[in-house]
């Protein structure tokens, strides 16, 4: 049996407190005490220390929570609603709005892809959005 001072191994002990432990426990405590500074040194060397103030977006991923079932149902209903209004448009309007807003294509790219003028694509998207606003209340 070996006598150890708990103050050397645990920071919350403010006074010396000696206890007897087995050899295996004493060896494990000493190995952990040696490993901790090595671990911190290795983290600093590899720049693996993270701060919530770093501004790299890590705090957003920590703070995001899973949506509740009610929020999931609301989002699904809104998605269904959007699909219904999009499908009720004419084929060119629906296709152009889909490409512009969901595929993030510019109006110029859409015009080149479909072989029409940019003005025609712009007007088609504008009229399609107006029609979707009117249809949004019907569904």
């Amino acid at each position: 049996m070996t006598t150890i001072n708990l103050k050397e191994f645990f920071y919350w002990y403010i006074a010396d407190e000696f206890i007897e432990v087995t050899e295996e426990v004493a060896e494990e405590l000493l190995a952990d005490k040696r490993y901790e500074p090595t671990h911190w040194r290795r983290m600093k060397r590899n720049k693996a220390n993270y701060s919530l103030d770093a501004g790299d977006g890590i705090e957003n991923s920590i703070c995001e929570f899973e949506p509740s079932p009610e929020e999931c149902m609301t989002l699904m209903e809104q998605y269904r609603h959007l699909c219904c209004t999009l499908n009720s448009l004419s084929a060119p309007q629906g296709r152009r709005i889909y490409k512009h807003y969901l595929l993030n294509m510019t109006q110029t790219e859409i015009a080149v892809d479909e072989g029409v003028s940019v003005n025609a694509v712009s007007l088609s998207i504008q009229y399609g959005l107006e029609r979707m606003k009117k249809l949004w209340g019907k569904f």
Side-chain angles (χ1 to χ4, degrees):
M1 298 286 284
T2 306
T3 304
I4 63 166
N5 186 358
L6 291 176
K7 184 180 176 183
E8 293 177 5
F9 298 101
F10 304 105
Y11 67 90
W12 57 85
Y13 282 95
I14 54 175
D16 289 333
E17 189 164 330
F18 296 96
I19 61 167
E20 283 192 15
V21 294
T22 61
E23 295 292 330
E24 293 86 21
V25 172
E27 286 176 25
E28 194 63 36
L29 285 171
L30 283 171
D32 185 54
K33 188 175 181 177
R34 286 189 300 263
Y35 176 75
E36 196 167 326
T38 306
H39 171 71
W40 285 106
R41 219 175 16 255
R42 191 177 300 132
M43 275 183 39
K44 286 289 186 185
R45 186 180 315 125
N46 296 324
K47 296 177 179 62
N49 51 336
Y50 297 104
S51 171
L52 295 180
D53 297 328
D56 57 356
I58 195 170
E59 67 274 9
N60 292 336
S61 63
I62 291 172
C63 296
E64 288 179 6
F65 300 105
E66 291 293 321
S68 68
E70 182 181 355
E71 290 172 338
C72 288
M73 291 301 293
T74 305
L75 287 173
M76 284 175 48
E77 186 65 27
Q78 287 177 348
Y79 180 74
R80 187 188 67 78
H81 201 72
L82 181 64
C83 288
C84 288
T85 56
L86 194 58
N87 287 335
S88 65
L89 298 175
S90 67
Q93 286 178 342
R95 184 177 59 245
R96 290 169 184 167
I97 288 175
Y98 176 78
K99 286 180 179 180
H100 186 64
Y101 289 104
L102 299 176
L103 299 180
N104 292 324
M105 291 176 69
T106 64
Q107 292 181 2
T108 307
E109 291 172 337
I110 297 170
V112 169
D113 188 39
E114 294 184 2
V116 295
S117 68
V118 178
N119 190 27
V121 172
S122 178
L123 287 174
S124 177
I125 290 173
Q126 180 183 351
Y127 292 145
L129 291 176
E130 288 174 8
R131 182 156 165 77
M132 283 181 74
K133 286 178 188 176
K134 290 177 186 174
L135 292 172
W136 186 259
K138 290 184 180 179
F139 291 105

